[in-house]
C-alpha cells in the first residue's frame, strides 16, 4: 500500500477557499451520519464522503448562468454551489429556513439554476431539454448533470446522450464513478466502460483519475469551454465512496474501506500539508457543529399542500 | 372540417402567436407530418421549434420538461398513446411533481398528446385508452380531444395552467366532422362541457369524453327511435381533475351513465361515479352505471376487437336495460 501511495504525485496545495469547502462538505456529511445515529433525522440520505472534491473542482469552471442537475448523492453539489449549509440541513431536517420547505428533503432540491431529483437517470433528459433552451436562448451556458456509474443501467441516459449529440447541445455529463451502485460493484453492473458508451454516440469522454483540484481544472477548462459551444462532453471521475450508500448499509470488507481512506484526498492531503488541513478542518467542523445546533433548535418547516 | 384538420389548424394558430412554444415527436417533420398528420406543415412554418426526434418517448418528454423548467412551453406528440408508458417516469415522477415538490410552485407548461383508442385494427399495443393509468396524479391534468370543443382554446388552457397536461385524442375522431350534432339533437358548449340534447327533461344523462361522442349520439338516436328514451350527452373537455359542479345544470337526473372506451377495472368512469355519488346520491335512482370496454387486451382482428370495445350497441343496451329492465 505504501508503495502505491508513494508512486502517486503529491497533491497540490489548495487555496483556503477550496480546501475549506471540501472540509465543510465532509464535516456536513459526517454530521448527518451522526444525527442519524442519534435518531434525529427522518428518512434516509446519501453522503458524498470521499467525492467532495468533484463539485469543488468544477465550481470555478461553471458560472451562475449554468444549470446544475444533481442526484441522490447531492449535498456536495449543493454546498459547492451555494455554501448554504443552514438551508440544506434545515431541508434535510424539515426545519424552518429549509431551502425547499422540507418538502424535497435530501434528494429533491431546487434553487436558482440548481435542481436535484431522486430517480436515477431521470435528470439527463431534463438537462438535455434545458441545454436545448440554453443553446437557443442563452448561447454559451451549459447544463451540467451529475450521475453515478450505477445510473448507466438506465435507458434514459442513452436516449438523452443520443439527442444531445444529434442536436449538438451544451450538455456536460459528470460521471462520479465510485465503482459501486448501492451494494453492487461495477464489475457486476457495468458491461464495457463509460468511455465506450460515450464513444458509441460520438461524444467526447475524459477520464479524471486524480483528486487534485488544480490539475482537474487545468485539464477540464478547455473541454468545458468547448461544451459551451454545443459539443457535449462526458467527464468521468474515477473516485471512491468512503461512506455507506445511505446509512449503515456498507457491505464492503473493512480492509477495502481502510484502503479507500488511506488513498483518499483527505488522508493524502493531511500527510502532505498537515497544518493547513488541521487548521481548516477544525474551523469547518466547528462551523457545521454550530449550524447543526442552530437548525436542530428551529421549529418545524411549514408547507400547505395545494 | 374534420377534427384532425381542426386540431392541426389550432396547433398552427397557437404556434404563430407563442414564440416560446416547441413541439417534439417522432416523425413529426414534413413531409410526413406525424403518423396521423396532425403536425403537418408545422415544421416547415416553424423550423427550430418543431423537432422530429429519435424513438425516445422517455427522453423527449424529459426534454419537454427541461424546456418547461426554463420557462418555455412544449408539446410532445407520442405517436401512439400506448407508448406514453415509456414516458411515464417523466410524467409521474418529474414533470407533475416538479410543480410542488420543491416547496414553492414551479410552473410546468407542457402537454403530452396521446392518440389513443381502438377500432382501427392496430392491435394490443397500439389501441389502448390509457386515461385511467394517469388519473389521480397530483398536478397532472387530463384532457380529451372532442369534436365539440375549440381545439385552440383547449390548447391555450392547457399551456397556461402551469401544470403538465395529457391530451388524449381518440384516433377515430381525426376523420370525423368537427362541431356537429345532427338533428333532432341540439349542441351547446358552455365552459368546459359540451351538451347534446333534446327539448325537455331527458330520461337519462350520458357523461362521455370526446372520443365516445359519435357512438353515444348514435345510441341516443336509436334509443329515441326504438324505445322513446331521451338522453342528454355531456362531453367534458377536462377529465381530471373532474369538475363535477360544472354538470349541475343537467344533474341530478335519476339515471346517469358514464361511458368510456377504457378496458374495465380502475377506470376514469369509476372516479366520476364516485364524485357524482357524493354530490347527488340522495336524488339518483340508483348507482351511476359504468359503460366501458371489456376487461381484456384489445385484439387485432376486427370481429374480435368489436367484442371487446364499447360501441353504439353497448351503450344502447346498457341504457335500455337500466331504464326498461
Amino acid at each position: 500500500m505504501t508503495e502505491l501511495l508513494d508512486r502517486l504525485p503529491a497533491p497540490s496545495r489548495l487555496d483556503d477557499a477550496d480546501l475549506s469547502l471540501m472540509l465543510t462538505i465532509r464535516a456536513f456529511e459526517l454530521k448527518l451520519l451522526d444525527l442519524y445515529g442519534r435518531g434525529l433525522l427522518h428518512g434516509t440520505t446519501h453522503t458524498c464522503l470521499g467525492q467532495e472534491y468533484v463539485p469543488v473542482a468544477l465550481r470555478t469552471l461553471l458560472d451562475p448562468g449554468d444549470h446544475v442537475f444533481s442526484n441522490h448523492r447531492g449535498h456536495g453539489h449543493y454546498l459547492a454551489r451555494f455554501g448554504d449549509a443552514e438551508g440544506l440541513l434545515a431541508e434535510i431536517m424539515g426545519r424552518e429556513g429549509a431551502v425547499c420547505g422540507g418538502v424535497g428533503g435530501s434528494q429533491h432540491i431546487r434553487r436558482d439554476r440548481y435542481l436535484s431529483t431522486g430517480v436515477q437517470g431521470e435528470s439527463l433528459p431534463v438537462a438535455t431539454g434545458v441545454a436545448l433552451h440554453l443553446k437557443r436562448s442563452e448561447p454559451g451556458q451549459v447544463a451540467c448533470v451529475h450521475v453515478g456509474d450505477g445510473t448507466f443501467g438506465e435507458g434514459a441516459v442513452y436516449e438523452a446522450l443520443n439527442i444531445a449529440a444529434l442536436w449538438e447541445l451544451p450538455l456536460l455529463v459528470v460521471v462520479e464513478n465510485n465503482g459501486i451502485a448501492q451494494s453492487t460493484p461495477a464489475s457486476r453492473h457495468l458491461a464495457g466502460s463509460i468511455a465506450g458508451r460515450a464513444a458509441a454516440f460520438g461524444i467526447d469522454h475524459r477520464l479524471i483519475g486524480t483528486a487534485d483540484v488544480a490539475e482537474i481544472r487545468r485539464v477540464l477548462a478547455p473541454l468545458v469551454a468547448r461544451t459551451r459551444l454545443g459539443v457535449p462532453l462526458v467527464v468521468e471521475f474515477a473516485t471512491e465512496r468512503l461512506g455507506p450508500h445511505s446509512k449503515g448499509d456498507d457491505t464492503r470488507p473493512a480492509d477495502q474501506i481502510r484502503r479507500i481512506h488511506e488513498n483518499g484526498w483527505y488522508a493524502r492531503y493531511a500527510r502532505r500539508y498537515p497544518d493547513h488541513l488541521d487548521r481548516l478542518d477544525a474551523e469547518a467542523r466547528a462551523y457545521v457543529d454550530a449550524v447543526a445546533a442552530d437548525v436542530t433548535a428551529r421549529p418545524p418547516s411549514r408547507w400547505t399542500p395545494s | 372540417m374534420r377534427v384532425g384538420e381542426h386540431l392541426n389548424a389550432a396547433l398552427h394558430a397557437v404556434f404563430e402567436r407563442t414564440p416560446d412554444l416547441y413541439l417534439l415527436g417522432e416523425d413529426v417533420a414534413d413531409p410526413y407530418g406525424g403518423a396521423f398528420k396532425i403536425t403537418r406543415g408545422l415544421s416547415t412554418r416553424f423550423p427550430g421549434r418543431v423537432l422530429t426526434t429519435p424513438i425516445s418517448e422517455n427522453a423527449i418528454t424529459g426534454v419537454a420538461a427541461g424546456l418547461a423548467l426554463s420557462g418555455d412551453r412544449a408539446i410532445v406528440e407520442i405517436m401512439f398513446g400506448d407508448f406514453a408508458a415509456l414516458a411515464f417516469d417523466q410524467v409521474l415522477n418529474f414533470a407533475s411533481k416538479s410543480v410542488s415538490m420543491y416547496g414553492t410552485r414551479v410552473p410546468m407548461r407542457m402537454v403530452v398528446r396521446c392518440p389513443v383508442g381502438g377500432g382501427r385494427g392496430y392491435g394490443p399495443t397500439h389501441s389502448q385508452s390509457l386515461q385511467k393509468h394517469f388519473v389521480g396524479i397530483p398536478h397532472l391534468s387530463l384532457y380529451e380531444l372532442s369534436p365539440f370543443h375549440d381545439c385552440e382554446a383547449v390548447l391555450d388552457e392547457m399551456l397556461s395552467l402551469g401544470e403538465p397536461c395529457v391530451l388524449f385524442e381518440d384516433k377515430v375522431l381525426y376523420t370525423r366532422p368537427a362541431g356537429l350534432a345532427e338533428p333532432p339533437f341540439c349542441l351547446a358548449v358552455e365552459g368546459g362541457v359540451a351538451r347534446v340534447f333534446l327539448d325537455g327533461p331527458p330520461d337519462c344523462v350520458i357523461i362521455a369524453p370526446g372520443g365516445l361522442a359519435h357512438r353515444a349520439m348514435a345510441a341516443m338516436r336509436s334509443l329515441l327511435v326504438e324505445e322513446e328514451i331521451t338522453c342528454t350527452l355531456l362531453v367534458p373537455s377536462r377529465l381530471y381533475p373532474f369538475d363535477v359542479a360544472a354538470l349541475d345544470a343537467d344533474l341530478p337526473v335519476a339515471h346517469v351513465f358514464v361511458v368510456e372506451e377504457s378496458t374495465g377495472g380502475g377506470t376514469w368512469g369509476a372516479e366520476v361515479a364516485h364524485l357524482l355519488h357524493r354530490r347527488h346520491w340522495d336524488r339518483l335512482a340508483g348507482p351511476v352505471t359504468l359503460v366501458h370496454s371489456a376487461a381484456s387486451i384489445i385484439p387485432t382482428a376486427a370481429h374480435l376487437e368489436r367484442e371487446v370495445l364499447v360501441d353504439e350497441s353497448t351503450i344502447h343496451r346498457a341504457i335500455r336495460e337500466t331504464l326498461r329492465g
Side-chain angles (χ1 to χ4, degrees):
Chain A
M1 204 67 248
T2 309
E3 193 187 345
L4 173 68
L5 290 179
D6 288 348
R7 283 210 306 271
L8 292 168
S12 319
R13 187 179 169 86
L14 294 162
D15 71 28
D16 278 11
D18 286 328
L19 180 58
S20 186
L21 195 46
M22 285 158 68
L23 293 168
T24 300
I25 296 169
R26 174 155 301 207
F28 186 90
E29 300 290 56
L30 290 171
K31 179 58 69 181
L32 287 185
L33 292 177
D34 170 52
L35 291 169
Y36 268 115
R38 292 192 280 133
L40 295 173
L41 288 195
H42 184 63
T44 191
T45 199
H46 309 87
T47 66
C48 67
L49 293 166
Q51 304 175 203
E52 300 90 343
Y53 65 92
V54 175
V56 173
L58 290 168
R59 179 175 66 103
T60 60
L61 301 174
L62 300 174
D63 66 53
D66 296 329
H67 285 254
V68 172
F69 289 85
S70 178
N71 58 357
H72 61 296
R73 205 175 297 290
H75 307 154
H77 308 151
Y78 180 87
L79 293 172
R81 183 150 235 218
F82 302 110
D84 169 32
E86 292 92 342
L88 179 60
L89 185 60
E91 181 61 35
I92 295 167
M93 297 189 78
R95 301 301 167 106
E96 213 166 67
V99 63
C100 295
V103 184
S106 169
Q107 301 188 65
H108 316 96
I109 291 178
R110 179 177 174 274
R111 175 177 168 184
D112 304 316
R113 294 188 168 201
Y114 176 96
L115 180 144
S116 67
T117 186
V119 177
Q120 295 296 333
E122 183 178 75
S123 62
L124 254 123
V126 178
T128 301
V130 168
L132 173 62
H133 169 87
L134 292 174
K135 177 179 175 140
R136 295 186 184 282
S137 305
E138 300 175 52
Q141 304 303 143
V142 299
C144 167
V145 52
H146 290 265
V147 294
D149 49 297
T151 304
F152 276 72
E154 293 286 1
V157 172
Y158 306 100
E159 293 190 11
L161 290 178
N162 187 39
I163 289 174
L166 285 169
W167 297 355
E168 299 175 338
L169 299 179
L171 181 71
L172 173 63
V173 180
V174 176
V175 185
E176 298 182 44
N177 185 350
N178 57 25
I180 189 163
Q182 189 143 339
S183 73
T184 306
S187 60
R188 288 172 64 193
H189 77 68
L190 187 75
S193 64
I194 305 291
R197 294 181 186 205
F201 296 97
I203 293 179
D204 286 346
H205 167 271
R206 183 71 195 220
L207 178 67
I208 303 287
T210 177
D212 188 316
V213 167
E215 174 66 6
I216 293 168
R217 288 176 181 160
R218 190 188 63 73
V219 169
L220 289 184
L223 298 175
V224 173
R226 220 158 59 96
T227 303
R228 295 186 183 284
L229 305 175
V231 183
L233 173 69
V234 172
V235 177
E236 176 184 0
F237 286 85
T239 188
E240 299 275 18
R241 193 189 78 203
L242 203 53
H245 165 69
S246 52
K247 289 173 278 181
D249 58 357
D250 208 334
T251 53
R252 295 172 295 183
D255 66 326
Q256 184 185 352
I257 292 170
R258 184 178 49 75
R259 276 202 307 276
I260 293 171
H261 270 277
E262 288 171 0
N263 262 322
W265 68 265
Y266 181 96
R268 297 184 64 233
Y269 199 85
R271 285 193 289 270
R272 181 73 176 80
Y273 308 103
D275 295 344
H276 193 204
L277 185 125
D278 287 348
R279 175 170 58 86
L280 293 182
D281 201 14
E283 284 177 17
R285 286 170 192 262
Y287 165 66
V288 170
D289 283 345
V291 167
D294 168 26
V295 169
T296 305
R298 293 182 190 180
S301 65
R302 280 174 292 185
W303 177 72
T304 310
S306 64
Chain B
M1 188 185 261
R2 296 179 191 283
V3 174
E5 295 161 349
H6 176 54
L7 179 56
N8 174 261
L11 286 166
H12 275 270
V14 175
F15 259 86
E16 183 70 49
R17 57 184 165 72
T18 317
D20 60 358
L21 175 63
Y22 289 75
L23 186 141
L24 305 141
E26 295 154 16
D27 302 291
V28 296
D30 292 332
Y32 196 70
F36 298 101
K37 312 305 170 198
I38 304 304
T39 53
R40 183 181 276 160
L42 283 173
S43 67
T44 305
R45 267 184 84 188
F46 308 103
R49 291 199 285 137
V50 177
L51 305 172
T52 209
T53 70
I55 301 175
S56 304
E57 287 80 7
N58 180 324
I60 63 179
T61 309
V63 168
L67 290 167
L69 269 183
S70 306
D72 294 327
R73 290 158 217 260
I75 297 173
V76 175
E77 175 173 300
I78 303 287
M79 186 184 282
F80 282 80
D82 310 63
F83 313 155
L86 293 157
F88 195 57
D89 173 59
Q90 288 292 343
V91 174
L92 170 72
N93 281 323
F94 191 78
S96 59
K97 283 201 175 78
S98 290
V99 172
S100 67
M101 78 169 169
Y102 297 110
T104 53
R105 203 166 171 89
V106 178
M108 295 291 285
R109 299 181 188 93
M110 59 184 281
V111 174
V112 181
R113 292 184 38 237
C114 293
V116 294
R120 296 178 58 151
Y122 290 126
T125 63
H126 290 60
S127 305
Q128 298 166 100
S129 294
L130 281 82
Q131 289 89 329
K132 68 178 184 181
H133 301 294
F134 291 85
V135 169
I137 297 174
H139 305 300
L140 182 72
S141 288
L142 310 183
Y143 286 75
E144 181 155 333
L145 181 67
S146 140
F148 307 129
H149 293 87
D150 177 54
C151 287
E152 193 179 331
V154 174
L155 285 170
D156 274 341
E157 182 178 324
M158 290 188 291
L159 287 168
S160 40
L161 263 183
E163 300 189 357
C165 299
V166 181
L167 176 64
F168 295 99
E169 303 170 6
D170 194 324
K171 297 189 279 282
V172 299
L173 273 184
Y174 292 145
T175 54
R176 289 283 193 156
L180 294 177
E182 287 181 10
F185 296 104
C186 302
L187 171 67
V189 186
E190 195 173 333
V193 182
R195 190 166 169 271
V196 178
F197 59 99
L198 294 163
D199 284 339
D203 297 310
C204 69
V205 161
I206 303 169
I207 300 167
L212 271 299
H214 294 97
R215 281 169 272 180
M217 287 191 294
M220 286 162 71
R221 177 178 296 278
S222 59
L223 284 161
L224 180 66
V225 171
E226 296 166 20
E227 309 284 342
E228 294 185 4
I229 292 174
T230 61
C231 312
T232 291
L233 169 66
L234 303 177
V235 179
S237 173
R238 190 174 72 179
L239 306 185
Y240 188 88
F242 187 73
D243 181 9
V244 68
L247 310 186
D248 278 353
D250 290 285
L251 295 175
V253 152
H255 296 284
V256 180
F257 298 83
V258 185
V259 183
E260 61 188 316
E261 190 174 304
S262 166
T263 56
T267 62
W268 166 75
E271 164 75 5
V272 174
H274 166 68
L275 295 171
L276 290 170
H277 290 157
R278 285 182 53 156
R279 192 170 180 87
H280 300 298
W281 176 249
D282 53 343
R283 285 167 294 183
L284 295 171
V288 170
T289 304
L290 302 185
V291 182
H292 46 65
S293 303
S296 163
I297 57 100
I298 297 160
T300 306
H303 66 291
L304 300 177
E305 197 184 22
R306 270 197 301 274
E307 282 182 28
V308 167
L309 297 180
V310 163
D311 62 10
E312 174 198 342
S313 64
T314 328
I315 303 168
H316 180 110
R317 194 167 54 244
I319 294 175
R320 193 193 61 219
E321 284 173 3
T322 303
L323 269 64
R324 295 283 186 258

